[in-house]
Amino acid sequence: MKFLDKIRVSIHSIIHVSNMKKSFTIFMLIAILMPLSIGSVSSMVVSRQMIQEEVSNFNESWIEKQKDYLELLLRNMDSLIDNIANIDSIKNVLDNKESAVGDFASLSTQAMIGYILSGYDVDGLVSIDLLSINNDAHYHVGETLNFTKMNLETKQKLYDMALQSPDSIVWAGLVDNINDN
């Protein structure tokens, strides 16, 4: 019986050692993988937050710069309109109550507006149109002087806007071009 007891003890110790090896292996895997997985998940979360903050900061900065640029363009436009509005010869032609303005006055007015317009570098500005209520005059200076096709709907909207305004100068903002060429 002793021999059988020795075999049992021996088998039992092998199984016990085998279970200890399994337990130790599982413990080591948990001890190694747990910190790695916690570290990788936390670094992923932190890096995602940092990237989102950087993108947000970039977007805010870009929008602020675009706002500053638009304000600069609007100041340039206002200055351009003020320059045109403060020239007496242009005011006289637009305020002329006669039914028609002479060719010389018309060309001179258009040339003066063009001269003022050429002194400004305003991106996106393709033309300026001055409409008069008194003599139905229309002065166009800009990308083309070819007026074979006009967008009459846009011209009428601008004209109505000017009639409804209490101010002598109406800033329509960005609108479709009157010239369809």
Side-chain angles (χ1 to χ4, degrees):
M1 285 266 209
K2 281 212 175 222
F3 181 70
L4 284 175
D5 284 335
K6 282 185 179 183
I7 291 179
R8 271 190 209 146
V9 170
S10 180
I11 291 175
H12 182 63
S13 66
I14 291 173
I15 292 174
H16 183 65
V17 169
S18 175
N19 282 340
M20 274 181 56
K21 282 184 182 178
K22 283 183 187 176
S23 297
F24 182 72
T25 305
I26 291 172
F27 171 76
M28 288 305 290
L29 284 175
I30 290 173
I32 292 171
L33 293 179
M34 183 71 88
L36 284 176
S37 60
I38 290 172
S40 63
V41 168
S42 63
S43 68
M44 185 179 69
V45 168
V46 168
S47 62
R48 182 180 292 159
Q49 285 176 337
M50 287 177 61
I51 289 172
Q52 286 175 342
E53 286 176 19
E54 286 299 316
V55 168
S56 177
N57 291 340
F58 173 79
N59 286 338
E60 288 174 8
S61 172
W62 185 79
I63 288 171
E64 187 66 31
K65 287 181 182 181
Q66 291 298 315
K67 182 183 141 226
D68 292 343
Y69 179 67
L70 284 175
E71 287 174 354
L72 175 68
L73 284 177
L74 286 175
R75 280 195 307 271
N76 284 344
M77 289 286 189
D78 287 343
S79 174
L80 173 64
I81 291 170
D82 285 343
N83 277 346
I84 291 173
N86 289 325
I87 295 178
D88 289 333
S89 61
I90 294 174
K91 281 197 266 186
N92 292 339
V93 170
L94 291 174
D95 287 339
N96 186 358
K97 299 209 186 303
E98 296 177 16
S99 61
V101 176
D103 288 341
F104 178 76
S106 179
L107 286 173
S108 173
T109 302
Q110 219 162 350
M112 194 168 299
I113 296 167
Y115 177 74
I116 293 169
L117 181 60
S118 68
Y120 285 85
D121 183 25
V122 181
D123 290 339
L125 180 65
V126 293
S127 65
I128 289 180
D129 292 279
L130 298 177
L131 307 170
S132 172
I133 5 176
N134 294 329
N135 56 17
D136 201 29
H138 174 205
Y139 297 97
H140 172 85
V141 176
E143 63 183 347
T144 181
L145 297 177
N146 181 2
F147 265 92
T148 55
K149 291 168 43 178
M150 283 185 59
N151 185 343
L152 296 176
E153 183 180 329
T154 301
K155 181 180 177 183
Q156 189 61 45
K157 283 180 185 176
L158 291 172
Y159 191 75
D160 292 342
M161 186 186 305
L163 287 177
Q164 293 171 0
S165 174
D167 300 324
S168 61
I169 299 171
V170 177
W171 168 240
L174 302 174
V175 295
D176 290 337
N177 198 342
I178 290 178
N179 192 350
D180 273 344
N181 287 326

